[in-house]
Every structure is written in C-alpha cells, then in structure tokens.
Amino acid sequence: PDWLGAALDASSLLPRTLLATLRAFRHDPGPDGVLLLRNLPVVADDPLPPTPSVPNSVERVPTTAASVITSLMLQLGEVIAFRSEKGGALVQNVVPVPGREESQSNAGSVLLELHIENAFHDNRPDYVGLLCVREDPTGDAKLCTSSIRRALPLLSAETRQVLAEPRFLTEPPPSFGVL
C-alpha cells in the first residue's frame, strides 16, 4: 500500500503532455481503444536483471519499470490484481518459460490468440497495461489488438444477439493457478 501510494503521488509529476494524453485516452479511448507510448524509462542506473524464466514471475520489488507502468495506469483508474492470479502481484512479468513455449498463456512463446483479458471474471479490467523492457533482437515480437467498436458495426443484429447470450464459456488462464 505504501508503494502504491508513492506511485500515485509520483504519477501526478509525469510530464504535462503525457498526463494530458493519458487523461484524454481515459475520457475517450477512440475507435481502437489502444494507446502506444514510446521511449519510457525502464531502468535507472543499473542494467536490467536477466529475463525471468520461472512460472508465475512477478515484480515484488520497486523497480523503475514497475513504477513507470503503475504510475501510468494510475492515471487511467485503480490498479488492481486478482489474489488467485500470481499471488495478487500488481506487476506481472510476461516472459517465455522453458517447457511452456507452446502454451496459450503469458508464459508461452507462441502467437497468443485474440482474447479479452480475464473474460471469465465479473470484474475484468477496463484497461490492461503492457510495458516492454527489452527489445526483441529478431523483430518477431508483435502485439495484435482488435476493437469491438470497429467490429460491432460489421455484425448483423442477429449475430450480436447470439454473441450476447450466456452460451459461451471462457476458462481462467493458467496464471490463475486453477487449471
């Protein structure tokens, strides 16, 4: 709680243009619902530690990268985590884990299928923040997003009605430790 309070205080000290951009996005995320920010600081004076390679990797020590992503997200709303996902850590590492390369999860190395973050949960997030701390030397890493605001007008009323029915089930991801 103390660290989160300090991050909230620090978030008000972000550059004025960045604060304005975040607040405008919070008010209206536009037709795509995506905001890309570049050249954010990820380390202070020390080099980055090695990439974690263990399941359920999280950040429980205040790092520059954890502070940056948390301060940015606090301008969009409350930063929350689920106790059952990675022990409730607010900052979670999305890293390839040996032996899980083929899994559809934040530990896999395969192209992650399009999904809604925590779609199974009644309290799924309004925003998800990702901060890349290492450049992909191969240039293969990509983030693919889609927008319901763009997709809905392309669907018939009948299709939208079917999609709104309670006939679809989304399982919790492996990071929730229930699979």
Side-chain angles (χ1 to χ4, degrees), residues 52-156:
S53 61
V54 296
N56 299 317
S57 176
V58 300
E59 295 297 325
R60 296 211 185 267
V61 182
T63 63
T64 300
S67 299
V68 166
I69 188 67
T70 303
S71 294
L72 293 171
M73 296 308 292
L74 281 165
Q75 288 296 314
L76 299 178
E78 297 297 322
V79 175
I80 61 110
F82 297 96
R83 184 174 289 124
S84 56
E85 183 178 38
K86 295 188 176 185
L90 291 175
V91 179
Q92 304 173 7
N93 294 319
V94 178
V95 294
V97 175
R100 296 198 176 166
E101 295 88 354
E102 300 298 318
S103 72
Q104 280 291 314
S105 73
N106 59 23
S109 298
V110 295
L111 180 64
L112 194 58
E113 296 173 0
L114 288 177
H115 65 282
I116 295 173
E117 197 69 20
N118 298 333
F120 71 96
H121 205 286
D122 290 337
N123 296 311
R124 59 189 160 267
D126 293 325
Y127 301 99
V128 174
L130 300 171
L131 176 65
C132 181
V133 296
R134 286 187 174 79
E135 183 177 353
D136 172 25
T138 65
D140 293 334
K142 294 174 179 48
L143 176 64
C144 179
T145 64
S146 63
S147 170
I148 192 64
R149 292 177 179 185
R150 292 201 184 268
L152 274 179
L154 305 174
L155 302 176
S156 69

Side-chain angles (χ1 to χ4, degrees), residues 29-67:
D32 294 314
V34 174
L35 175 63
L36 176 63
L37 302 172
R38 295 182 185 273
N39 302 315
L40 298 169
V42 293
V43 293
D45 297 328
D46 299 327
L48 283 172
T51 300
S53 61
V54 296
N56 299 317
S57 176
V58 300
E59 295 297 325
R60 296 211 185 267
V61 182
T63 63
T64 300
S67 299

